[in-house]
Amino acid sequence: MSTVLVTGGAGYIGSHTVIELHNNGYDIVIVDNFYNSKPEVLNRLETITGKRFPFYKVDCCDKDALRKVFEENEIDSIIHFAGLKAVGESVRIPLKYYKNNIDSLINTVELAGEYKVRKLVFSSSATVYGMSEDVPFTEESPLGVCTNPYGWTKWMIEQILRDYSVSDPDMKICLLRYFNPVGAHESGLIGEDPRGIPNNLFPYISKVAGGTLAQLTIFGDDYDTPDGTCVRDYIHVTDLATGHVKAIEYLGKCEENVCVFNLGTGNGTSVKEAVAAFEKACGHEIPHVFGPRRPGDIAVSYAATDKAADKLGFTARYNIDDMCSSCWKWQTMNPDGLPD
Ligand code: NAD
Ligand code: UDP
């Protein structure tokens, strides 16, 4: 049985991916430093899967500590989720973002090379397409100019991995460009659990729906879109997790050293439509007001999904209503997030 090292596996996408890997027969080792997650996630994963996964509380920037994980486990592939992801924070403390995201990636790749791990999946983002208005974004769309340090770390790491692959052609690398992951596991036991006031739309709406926050501010209603609000490609986190399992399978048989896939649904949903869908899921109105545009936001972003469908056999199963109802279940079962 092959073992997957999941760095950042206690986080939002990582924890959902652990479940899908387990459901598909993989053994898993989780590494996380709990910078943006809590140990309780590991208990929840055990409740959901019936299995306690091997776990190391390690900062991937600490190479000696990370080496122990490679030393003690026979790792076959790696999914590298570990990274900081808050756009606004990355503008305030850019060096921390560059240091954490790039050092943790380089350590992981160096150790992968040393320990002959031949498959690596990296969490990239649609943010690498920059401010282009040429949608849908295909994997061949030119990389753009990012609007914040977080985005640049993804852009730079993609380049680092392309360069690395030339030096180590035996390593197969998959860059997954996520669109907007939302939703929660069907059990309601794990979901997105941001610290403090959320920045992203769905966690914010969830808190307004649950009564913790008074109202949502919709950032801009004067975009060149059908209803004036921004359009995004929201993808259920469980679908996204399945995409990672498909990527690992693909790396076992692909010819190319580096492959790139969008993970989205191919459907655009406006902010107003997202609010309406959430209102349907929770059964009451979401108080909201309209505010100015948020700097750096593009009007429309959605994925071309053909390549992931053809090569990975990946198609998203869940629609926006499923995403909202799973968010709402997670919110009602865990109004204050996971306990410390
Ligand atoms: P998350 O913050 O919930 O999970 C990341 C996990 O990595 C956290 O548990 C955190 O504690 C851990 N971590 C951070 N730095 C670490 C380090 N140096 N060593 C060990 N652990 C570390 O975020 P997420 O939403 O699950 O995102 C996972 C990955 O996907 C990130 O790289 C993120 O940038 C990327 N991504 C996320 C989105 C999104 O909208 N959620 C979109 C595109 C890409
Ligand atoms: N948004 C909003 N109010 C909020 C948070 C987000 O109107 O409180 C909008 C934001 O302008 C964008 C969309 O919701 O158009 C998705 O934003 P999010 O931060 O979730 O993801 P992004 O696409 O920026 O990565």
Side-chain angles (χ1 to χ4, degrees):
M1 178 42 56
S2 55
T3 300
V4 184
L5 168 62
V6 182
T7 72
Y12 172 47
I13 304 170
S15 57
H16 288 81
T17 302
V18 164
I19 295 171
E20 295 311 306
L21 287 167
H22 171 77
N23 290 345
N24 282 275
Y26 290 91
D27 285 333
I28 296 140
V29 175
I30 302 174
V31 164
D32 207 295
N33 63 357
F34 295 132
Y35 180 88
N36 196 37
S37 52
K38 293 175 184 160
E40 174 63 13
V41 169
L42 303 172
N43 301 332
R44 300 287 173 104
L45 287 175
E46 186 173 2
T47 306
I48 293 166
T49 63
K51 185 161 166 95
R52 189 80 189 178
F53 298 103
F55 174 77
Y56 291 80
K57 184 172 185 295
V58 159
D59 186 329
C60 298
C61 297
D62 179 347
K63 193 170 174 188
D64 289 337
L66 190 58
R67 179 186 298 284
K68 194 161 175 275
V69 180
F70 285 79
E71 198 63 57
E72 292 180 359
N73 299 277
E74 210 157 298
I75 295 163
D76 179 70
S77 31
I78 300 172
I79 307 182
H80 184 66
F81 291 107
L84 305 181
K85 64 162 184 177
V87 170
E89 188 181 63
S90 80
V91 174
R92 284 195 302 280
I93 44 171
L95 298 185
K96 182 163 181 165
Y97 270 66
Y98 285 115
K99 195 168 190 167
N100 185 75
N101 291 4
I102 293 177
D103 278 5
S104 67
L105 178 277
I106 290 179
N107 284 343
T108 303
V109 175
E110 281 180 342
L111 289 165
E114 213 177 297
Y115 286 82
K116 304 275 179 282
V117 181
R118 306 286 62 170
K119 288 177 258 173
L120 176 81
V121 177
F122 174 66
S123 300
S124 189
S125 164
T127 195
V128 299
Y129 295 120
M131 301 292 283
S132 166
E133 291 175 7
D134 194 8
V135 285
F137 295 121
T138 76
E139 289 82 351
E140 282 69 47
S141 296
L143 296 192
V145 172
C146 298
T147 55
N148 56 77
Y150 163 74
W152 281 118
T153 68
K154 297 297 178 194
W155 196 104
M156 289 176 188
I157 290 172
E158 286 203 3
Q159 186 58 42
I160 290 169
L161 289 172
R162 277 192 209 90
D163 291 340
Y164 179 76
S165 78
V166 175
S167 73
D168 182 2
D170 291 335
M171 188 184 294
K172 303 285 183 191
I173 297 172
C174 183
L175 311 175
L176 294 179
R177 294 180 182 152
Y178 312 156
F179 279 69
N180 287 60
V182 300
H185 189 256
E186 59 181 4
S187 63
L189 289 171
I190 58 168
E192 192 166 9
D193 186 17
R195 292 180 191 273
I197 296 177
N199 298 305
N200 297 109
L201 182 65
F202 271 73
Y204 204 103
I205 295 183
S206 302
K207 297 274 178 229
V208 175
T212 324
L213 292 171
Q215 63 181 16
L216 170 75
T217 301
I218 295 182
F219 299 141
D221 63 349
D222 58 350
Y223 283 97
D224 185 14
T225 59
D227 66 18
T229 64
C230 291
V231 170
R232 294 288 181 273
D233 185 341
Y234 298 99
I235 175 169
H236 196 297
V237 66
T238 298
D239 275 333
L240 196 74
T242 303
H244 290 75
V245 177
K246 302 271 188 196
I248 295 274
E249 285 166 7
Y250 183 74
L251 289 181
K253 60 181 189 209
C254 69
E255 298 289 321
E256 63 268 48
N257 294 334
V258 181
C259 54
V260 185
F261 292 101
N262 287 337
L263 290 182
T265 64
N267 302 316
T269 302
S270 74
V271 180
K272 277 188 186 169
E273 287 169 335
V275 171
F278 210 104
E279 286 176 338
K280 197 162 78 171
C282 71
H284 60 262
E285 262 183 46
I286 312 277
H288 59 273
V289 293
F290 293 96
R293 293 181 179 196
R294 184 172 66 177
D297 276 348
I298 56 173
V300 180
S301 167
Y302 62 97
T305 56
D306 322 26
K307 189 179 174 194
D310 292 349
K311 295 205 168 192
L312 297 183
F314 170 77
T315 312
R317 288 190 301 148
Y318 296 104
N319 63 27
I320 194 75
D321 293 327
D322 302 323
M323 299 177 212
C324 293
S325 53
S326 64
C327 261
W328 182 233
K329 182 172 182 183
W330 154 250
Q331 171 64 33
T332 46
M333 285 174 64
N334 310 272
D336 303 317
L338 294 180
D340 282 320

